[in-house]
Amino acid sequence: MTEPRLITRRDFLGNSVLVGVQLSAFGLLLGTRVSRAATPLDSNENPAMGFTPNVFVHISPTGEVTIVCHRSEMGQGIRSSMPVLIADELGVDMKQVKVVQGDGDKKYGDQNTDGSTSIRNGYENMRLMGATARTMLITAAADLWKVSPASCKTEHGFVLHHDTGRKTSFGSLAEAAAKLPVPKKEDVTYRPTSELKNVGTNLPLLDAPAYVTGTAAYGADISIPGMLIAVIARPPVVGGKIKSYNVDKALKVPGVKKVVEMPPATLPYAFQAWGGLAVVADNTWAALKGRAQLEIEWDEGANASYNSDEFRKELSLSVSKPGKVIRKTGDVEKTLANASKRVEAEYHVPHLPHVPMEPIACIAHIHDGRCDIWASTQNPQAAQKEAARVLGMPEEKIHVHVTFLGGAFGRKSKADFISEATFLAKKMDAPVRVQWSREDDIQQDYYNTVSTQLLTAGLDEHGKVTAWRHRTAFPPIGSIFSASDDQPDAGDLQQGVLDLPLSIPNVQGESCKAPAHVRIGWLRSVYNIFHSFATNSFMDELAHTQGKDMRETMLELIGPPRLASLEELGIPALKNYGSPLDKHPVDAGRLRHVIEEVTRISHWKGHKAEGRTLGLAAHRSFLSYVAAVVSMKKHPDGKVYVDEVWTVIDAGKIINRDRVRSQMEGAVLFGMSIAYYGAITMKDGKTEQSNFDTLKLVRMKDAPRKIHVEIVESELAPGGVGEPGVPPVAPAIINAVFALTGQRVRTLPLSSTGLV
Amino acid sequence: MSKIKLKLNGVDREVEADPEMPLLWAIRDLLGLPGTKYGCGQALCGACTIHLDDQPIRSCVTPISRAEGKSVTTIEGLSPNGDHPLQKAWIEFGVPQCGFCQTGQIMTAAALLKAIPKPTDKDIEQSLSGNLCRCGTYTRIRSAIKQVAGIKETT
Amino acid sequence: MRALAIIFLLGLLTAQAAEVAEVSALKDPSAFDGITNKVERSRALFREAGKVIQSPRCLVCHPNGDTPAQGDDLHPHYPAVVRGPHNDGVVGMKCTTCHQDHNLDLARVPGAPGWHLAPLSMAWVGKNLHSICEQIKDPKRNGNKSMDQLIEHFAHDKLVGWGWHPGSNRTPAPGTQERMGALIAAWIATGAECPPEHSKETK
């Protein structure tokens, strides 16, 4: 096979780089190499090659420990976290470890890096992988020394015999260990958690040296001799098709080789490629210029009548009527009818785009009866499956190599771009890199859905909330799998409508109809974004109505610490992010705790009297609990800005404290972009935004002066970290805006009010 | 097509290209250096930032003809061993998340510190605001720059 | 009869079209020959030149503050840039960090040689034609230009000339640079008189 030019062949250059100061007692940089070479895990056959107890761990006879990270690295720090858990359990220092990115392979289990699942679903299994390796190494040493395994332990890559102090390296035991049978799960011993030295501490960013030297390879950084580059003109309206085209001008651009018609997408779209015309050239510039020269007439299709303004009215109408009741306790309608006071508010959040910093790029190379793909994909299995389908090849012949991802947020779990690259590689009989432009990324995205919600509360004569009704209308994700799916279900409402503990006797959650006119996808924290926006804004509005403090109202509405049962929640079941309720209950106590903590560290008490303008919000998502306080101030020109943010996360057990902190910091900025600028709007079915001038993101000048992150110490089962930081941010901002200006913003983004 | 001569990371190079081809694509596709990234193609995000005669430019919109006879520095040439003080500080502070924007951030920060060794917060804000970071690493970028500049941060 | 009516209608339409074209274009200096009073004629010439001076294409780079504007609605330049010590931005965000010496079609970035901001002394935004006129004539505020150099600047400067060839779908300044140069020359030849205080306000 032709060896691709792999950027990361350079040895990690960092022996001289000291990381000491801010981080743990490591002192030295983790000696890791980022490599795309064939993994030493390929063969278990020859013990002389080393010890491979499972697909995640390999120890060579020279003592080199290789650990596979099987989940995609998109900035959440999975490569800096999961291998540490394994290494700690095994008894080796990270500086002795080489981390290798796992190819798409069923042997690793589900590699779909989505839904904040990697650590919460993989924690126990990864410990098992490390513990199995340790158990076998100890067995090998114990056999060698004729001592009991119980008298041995591992540390720093050695097995030590407790009584005599003798030690021997993992490397020297590798061959012997390789000959041993792999013990069953029940026969594997785990370290006491207190002996997991590095787990839970601040740990270095494994790939920092590669990032800062430009040697980390992303989707567009892999080159193969003879490679062609394709840039595709896709239908501007979802479901549109080519009517006619002229490629004469495009073909005249030097470097352009061919223009290829892409197969049109058919309903239901799911993750199919989008269709259109591909300009294939020998360099990217030529392909881009060539595409600009295409003359295409589109048959826009049914979605050409989709206009965001009109659809907004449709959504309002939808929530103005009773929907399908998904959550019910007591009798909300009766209570509302008899309430002393009724508070109602409608909230609207537009479609949101992913906009990862790295626009999509991937390369497919078909040769010698196999296909090699290099892609910044979140889901190697989906990539494998789609490539196999397009090429008519068995999945085992499709080799998906996962590069670094320059951000993803849910966009890159779809295999549409894999589909494009493999189709074109076959057509051109050459390796093809498909390069998406920024305009493509913004205009052909699986947008987070658009939503309108109606929150209604009834208050009694004492101002106490006695009824709470939450109606939510949004085109569900299910619509890409079934065109007729136009109503969210319980599995959708689990994100912030059903799992909100409320100490209110009459609660109702309803889903209302909303048909889809674009491909709906999922953006970092998904439906939680707008559900949290509505519930937290509404609680703030209720507090204002009651003449109370938001913190006080929130804690009162959530109620006392308790595990909210299904009965209490008024639902027959809870999807609970795929986790059993007994493992991850709806814990009002943990939700209260993050609220109490964040208001403590932000000195919430008495803030109004001090003239500080703060906003508070809290939300449970992906089995973690997060609360945020935002302090907003005004510029001389009247525009508002975020000055300081405090955020507290309870994610149960964590691995890399500094990566958790960075995720929370990042989530603040991410939430700010949603609040300030987040909007994808359609006119005549076409996305109105196209690049960073029309789709703005927050910049350095918008960054808060200070972000304080607190991580709740916990031994509970791990919850998600990548997404939960996001949902509280926008409502905390909006609540702070209200405190600062008296203006209640119920429609995002803020930029439409002129306040930012 | 024109033959353009330039100095790339200290080495004389000659490349044959459409004189309007942005330096970004020449550097990545023709000259084999992928450390400079494509983020937007319209000088709106800064991911493509390199130095032209020591001045930061957005290579995605700079035609290669502008580099004729000039010196181009990319991230690969910023330091011999990845040991520029900013690169070291970036590692120490764990600045990157996905890392995609960081080479552009570092190239801009390097030029800032060369021109203004002790930048104020305003200086940092004004010079770095052309570099987008979707992951939200701005606060750490700011801290890393200040550390290298020897500016103590008030907590 | 019907033929006459058609001719009449056609004539009307053509006249209207011509008038529309005339309004969006720039009048030639000779159009003002009919104003016999030299002072009034001078002022009228400057007012005509004012259509260019106060057009968005020119105002964007003659701000009365630290940031240029963008677009026909003169919104703040995005991304945020500042004047800097030499009217050409600050390190990392200099005008020429992004702007080239010519317009870029695909990238939509406008460009011309020497892209930079007019100094504050030459700010036009928020000022009326009277003030702008006085400013332009004053060597202390116009970069120490003589009258001849002023004509040269308006008639031939490449950055000024960009206003008429802004690229992409930007609205050009009215008329042509050549005609603008002629208007300024004619204005100077008639004594460079300024319109009185209460002239049209700029935004």
Side-chain angles (χ1 to χ4, degrees):
Chain A
M1 145 183 157
T2 332
E3 276 301 312
R5 174 165 55 78
L6 296 168
I7 313 319
T8 53
R9 279 241 171 95
R10 280 175 64 179
D11 270 357
F12 152 62
L13 32 77
N15 295 328
S16 58
V17 180
L18 279 157
V19 189
V21 180
Q22 212 190 356
L23 302 164
S24 76
F26 263 16
L28 293 167
L29 186 64
L30 302 185
T32 63
R33 253 173 283 141
V34 175
S35 168
R36 299 290 175 282
T39 96
L41 309 191
D42 292 330
S43 170
N44 272 341
E45 316 297 308
N46 184 355
M49 273 186 66
F51 166 51
T52 310
N54 53 61
V55 295
F56 292 94
V57 181
H58 173 84
I59 297 169
S60 76
T62 50
E64 192 175 67
V65 179
T66 304
I67 294 178
V68 173
C69 178
H70 68 302
R71 287 294 177 97
S72 301
E73 176 61 71
M74 61 193 87
Q76 83 282 44
I78 192 65
R79 285 170 56 96
S80 301
S81 308
M82 203 68 106
V84 176
L85 179 63
I86 297 172
D88 263 11
E89 188 60 65
L90 171 56
V92 69
D93 300 328
M94 279 305 289
K95 69 177 186 286
Q96 301 166 291
V97 170
K98 181 168 84 169
V99 174
V100 173
Q101 193 65 31
D103 276 356
D105 197 321
K106 288 192 188 65
K107 72 188 182 204
Y108 297 122
D110 178 20
Q111 293 175 270
N112 187 12
T113 316
D114 214 313
S116 304
T117 58
S118 296
I119 289 172
R120 66 178 168 100
N121 286 353
Y123 197 98
E124 294 309 318
N125 201 39
M126 292 300 113
R127 275 192 80 177
L128 176 64
M129 298 298 116
T132 304
R134 171 166 50 68
T135 302
M136 292 170 77
L137 287 163
I138 284 178
T139 304
D143 284 351
L144 186 70
W145 296 326
K146 311 264 186 286
V147 299
S148 73
S151 64
C152 300
K153 66 173 185 175
T154 58
E155 67 182 22
H156 305 309
F158 285 86
V159 178
L160 283 87
H161 181 227
H162 194 262
D163 300 337
T164 59
R166 345 151 56 166
K167 64 180 193 178
T168 187
S169 71
F170 284 2
S172 63
L173 293 166
E175 193 171 337
K179 293 180 182 145
L180 296 171
V182 177
K184 286 206 263 296
K185 192 171 166 177
E186 307 80 73
D187 300 327
V188 168
T189 51
Y190 289 86
R191 285 179 187 280
T193 334
S194 56
E195 276 190 34
L196 294 172
K197 296 187 313 172
N198 300 295
V199 168
T201 67
N202 288 314
L203 298 165
L205 174 62
L206 184 86
D207 300 303
Y211 291 143
V212 304
T213 53
T215 53
Y218 299 85
D221 298 332
I222 306 294
S223 284
I224 291 179
M227 180 180 77
L228 297 170
I229 299 174
V231 168
I232 302 172
R234 297 176 189 81
V237 178
V238 169
K241 291 184 170 61
I242 297 173
K243 198 148 91 177
S244 68
Y245 59 87
N246 190 314
V247 303
D248 296 344
K249 287 195 193 139
L251 287 171
K252 287 201 180 74
V253 173
V256 170
K257 301 291 175 214
K258 201 169 177 175
V259 177
V260 179
E261 220 179 298
M262 302 296 291
T266 54
L267 280 167
Y269 300 124
F271 308 130
Q272 290 171 60
W274 302 64
L277 268 187
V279 175
V280 187
D282 59 19
N283 69 80
T284 317
W285 175 239
L288 287 167
K289 263 190 20 173
R291 181 175 70 170
Q293 296 296 314
L294 289 174
E295 291 165 287
I296 307 175
E297 215 187 316
W298 299 102
D299 171 3
E300 307 281 29
N303 290 317
S305 57
Y306 183 45
N307 287 290
S308 292
D309 290 343
E310 274 152 47
F311 193 69
R312 168 109 196 247
K313 295 184 193 136
E314 223 180 290
L315 289 174
S316 281
L317 189 61
S318 188
V319 295
S320 70
K321 298 176 289 201
K324 181 166 177 213
V325 176
I326 311 266
R327 174 179 182 175
K328 185 180 169 76
T329 55
D331 189 339
V332 152
E333 298 305 332
K334 187 166 161 200
T335 315
L336 281 176
N338 296 327
S340 285
K341 197 181 182 104
R342 193 181 150 118
V343 181
E344 189 166 84
E346 188 179 298
Y347 301 96
H348 181 79
V349 178
H351 283 294
L352 298 169
H354 295 81
V355 206
M357 215 53 228
E358 176 207 18
I360 287 164
C362 69
I363 172 170
H365 183 206
I366 305 165
H367 62 103
D368 306 308
R370 60 186 273 167
C371 177
D372 283 87
I373 293 168
W374 283 264
S376 42
T377 174
Q378 291 174 247
N379 192 343
Q381 267 89 52
Q384 244 181 333
K385 199 164 164 188
E386 178 62 8
R389 184 193 71 81
V390 169
L391 298 176
M393 269 177 159
E395 279 181 40
E396 311 82 66
K397 298 288 185 186
I398 312 289
H399 301 264
V400 177
H401 315 290
V402 182
T403 65
F404 281 105
L405 282 66
F409 314 112
R411 174 59 181 96
K412 296 172 181 172
S413 52
K414 285 84 180 145
D416 56 319
F417 49 99
I418 307 290
S419 200
E420 290 175 340
T422 43
F423 175 81
L424 287 168
K426 188 169 178 184
K427 274 275 174 178
M428 300 303 298
D429 193 25
V432 170
R433 176 198 294 162
V434 168
Q435 175 70 56
W436 284 50
S437 68
R438 177 58 62 192
E439 290 80 6
D440 299 338
D441 168 66
I442 288 175
Q443 302 194 317
Q444 268 95 25
D445 187 6
Y446 285 79
Y447 303 120
N448 211 50
T449 196
V450 54
S451 66
T452 293
Q453 301 167 76
L454 187 70
L455 275 293
T456 314
L459 283 71
D460 67 14
E461 63 270 24
H462 306 293
K464 193 171 150 71
V465 177
T466 51
W468 168 289
R469 187 182 65 203
H470 186 163
R471 286 201 189 129
T472 178
F474 55 93
I477 288 167
S479 58
I480 47 168
F481 302 116
S482 162
S484 59
D485 189 348
D486 63 355
Q487 187 155 19
D489 60 20
D492 299 311
L493 268 64
Q494 67 144 343
Q495 294 189 18
V497 180
L498 307 183
D499 68 338
L500 173 62
L502 290 167
S503 186
I504 300 169
N506 307 281
V507 173
Q508 193 152 298
E510 298 171 24
S511 98
C512 303
K513 275 188 195 282
H517 299 281
V518 295
R519 295 192 185 194
I520 305 289
W522 48 92
L523 168 75
R524 194 179 186 185
S525 79
V526 204
Y527 304 141
N528 290 290
I529 293 172
F530 49 85
H531 287 150
S532 166
F533 173 63
T535 56
N536 282 292
S537 295
F538 194 57
M539 285 194 185
D540 197 53
E541 296 205 52
L542 286 173
H544 184 70
T545 304
Q546 294 170 322
K548 277 186 177 161
D549 173 79
M550 166 66 163
R551 178 187 186 276
E552 196 188 338
T553 292
M554 272 196 102
L555 292 174
E556 194 180 301
L557 290 175
I558 289 167
R562 69 198 182 284
L563 302 182
S565 65
L566 291 174
E567 193 189 334
E568 188 206 305
L569 292 169
I571 49 179
L574 186 67
K575 198 163 154 192
N576 208 31
Y577 299 95
S579 217
L581 207 53
D582 54 0
K583 188 174 178 200
H584 286 280
V586 175
D587 194 330
R590 289 172 82 182
L591 187 57
R592 289 180 65 94
H593 181 71
V594 291
I595 293 168
E596 284 158 352
E597 270 308 286
V598 82
T599 48
R600 182 184 66 80
I601 62 176
S602 59
H603 306 290
W604 177 272
K605 193 167 171 183
H607 73 269
K608 281 203 177 101
E610 289 163 19
R612 296 165 71 214
T613 39
L614 307 178
L616 166 66
H619 196 73
R620 173 191 192 262
S621 72
F622 301 93
L623 311 174
S624 293
Y625 301 79
V626 177
V629 167
V630 168
S631 163
M632 291 204 78
K633 293 189 172 170
K634 249 192 234 184
H635 283 303
D637 65 2
K639 292 208 196 285
V640 302
Y641 66 96
V642 172
D643 182 56
E644 205 170 354
V645 180
W646 299 259
T647 175
V648 175
I649 179 166
D650 177 356
K653 278 193 288 213
I654 58 159
I655 298 178
N656 187 333
R657 183 169 295 271
D658 197 51
R659 286 302 101 196
V660 174
R661 191 181 298 122
S662 66
Q663 282 299 282
M664 295 303 288
E665 291 163 4
V668 168
L669 276 306
F670 200 85
M672 282 177 67
S673 281
I674 290 175
Y676 280 25
Y677 305 120
I680 285 289
T681 53
M682 327 292 289
K683 197 169 155 86
D684 301 329
K686 298 190 184 86
T687 300
E688 294 188 281
Q689 292 74 23
S690 59
N691 210 308
F692 291 122
D693 53 345
T694 44
L695 192 287
K696 294 190 168 90
L697 297 176
V698 296
R699 294 176 177 265
M700 171 70 86
K701 67 176 185 57
D702 305 301
R705 184 176 46 82
K706 187 107 182 89
I707 301 176
H708 310 261
V709 179
E710 185 190 289
I711 300 166
V712 172
E713 297 289 340
S714 171
E715 280 305 310
L716 293 174
V721 167
E723 293 168 280
V726 177
V729 178
I733 288 173
I734 292 307
N735 291 346
V737 167
F738 179 73
L740 179 61
T741 67
Q743 193 174 335
R744 172 59 60 182
V745 177
R746 298 200 185 104
T747 298
L748 291 182
L750 260 180
S751 53
S752 52
T753 65
L755 282 171
V756 296
Chain B
M1 295 289 265
S2 302
K3 278 195 168 67
I4 291 134
K5 283 194 170 85
L6 51 87
K7 215 180 191 73
L8 178 60
N9 296 329
V11 177
D12 288 321
R13 302 290 296 264
E14 184 180 281
V15 60
E16 189 165 356
D18 171 4
E20 280 299 295
M21 177 185 284
L23 259 175
L24 171 71
W25 299 118
I27 288 167
R28 288 182 59 85
D29 288 352
L30 307 180
L31 293 161
L33 295 178
T36 308
K37 306 300 182 194
Y38 165 75
C40 73
Q42 301 210 345
L44 291 165
C45 80
C48 67
T49 308
I50 58 174
H51 297 168
L52 185 65
D53 281 349
D54 292 337
Q55 288 300 306
I57 53 150
R58 305 292 186 236
S59 64
C60 73
V61 296
T62 304
I64 189 171
S65 56
R66 184 174 165 190
E68 172 72 54
K70 297 205 173 102
S71 173
V72 172
T73 312
T74 67
I75 189 69
E76 289 93 345
L78 183 68
S79 63
N81 296 307
D83 53 5
H84 187 284
L86 284 168
Q87 287 170 313
K88 295 206 277 197
W90 248 242
I91 293 171
E92 184 184 327
F93 280 78
V95 171
Q97 287 182 33
C98 87
F100 196 77
C101 75
Q102 300 297 344
T103 57
Q105 303 274 5
I106 290 169
M107 293 306 280
T108 299
L112 169 65
L113 289 181
K114 203 159 171 189
I116 307 175
K118 286 224 187 299
T120 61
D121 281 353
K122 197 86 188 150
D123 289 327
I124 295 172
E125 184 183 294
Q126 286 175 349
S127 290
L128 272 295
S129 280
N131 288 84
L132 277 176
C133 173
R134 184 59 165 146
C135 298
T137 68
Y138 299 127
T139 51
R140 292 199 187 200
I141 291 173
R142 206 166 49 199
S143 297
I145 290 173
K146 285 163 110 160
Q147 159 138 316
V148 173
I151 297 166
K152 211 172 157 111
E153 275 209 286
T154 50
T155 40
Chain C
M1 203 51 201
R2 203 165 69 187
L4 273 174
I6 292 170
I7 292 167
F8 175 70
L9 268 168
L10 271 172
L12 246 176
L13 282 167
T14 323
Q16 274 189 328
E19 207 193 322
V20 165
E22 192 76 288
V23 161
S24 62
L26 205 57
K27 290 199 183 107
D28 186 80
S30 59
F32 300 90
D33 288 347
I35 304 173
T36 46
N37 181 309
K38 192 167 157 199
V39 168
E40 284 312 311
R41 190 162 77 251
S42 195
R43 286 175 173 164
L45 283 161
F46 191 81
R47 278 199 195 90
E48 189 65 13
K51 286 184 187 160
V52 170
I53 288 167
Q54 292 182 322
S55 74
R57 285 299 73 68
C58 303
L59 288 178
V60 291
C61 295
H62 282 262
N64 192 12
D66 250 3
T67 48
Q70 238 177 15
D72 285 349
D73 61 353
L74 299 176
H75 60 262
H77 182 292
Y78 186 84
V81 293
V82 291
R83 182 180 287 278
H86 307 292
N87 303 311
D88 65 353
V90 295
V91 61
M93 291 294 269
K94 289 217 183 260
C95 305
T96 51
T97 300
C98 308
H99 292 276
Q100 312 301 317
D101 64 3
H102 57 284
N103 294 326
L104 301 173
D105 280 328
L106 217 51
R108 300 184 303 136
V109 178
W115 198 266
H116 70 286
L117 273 186
L120 262 175
S121 66
M122 301 174 202
W124 291 346
V125 175
K127 298 191 180 170
N128 62 28
L129 267 184
H130 167 80
S131 304
I132 294 172
C133 179
E134 295 294 343
Q135 227 172 270
I136 285 176
K137 287 199 300 185
D138 179 5
K140 288 199 210 73
R141 289 181 282 170
N142 72 7
N144 204 26
K145 289 185 180 63
S146 67
M147 289 295 146
D148 279 342
Q149 285 169 325
L150 257 184
I151 297 170
E152 178 61 28
H153 179 72
F154 277 104
H156 296 122
D157 183 283
K158 287 200 160 61
L159 184 53
V160 171
W162 172 85
W164 287 273
H165 303 283
S168 298
N169 51 5
R170 296 177 194 95
T171 320
T176 63
Q177 184 171 29
E178 198 187 343
R179 183 160 284 185
M180 180 65 171
L183 279 167
I184 295 292
W187 167 66
I188 288 170
T190 51
E193 298 290 341
C194 289
E197 271 289 340
H198 34 271
S199 281
K200 181 180 104 170
E201 268 289 329
T202 56
K203 277 206 263 247

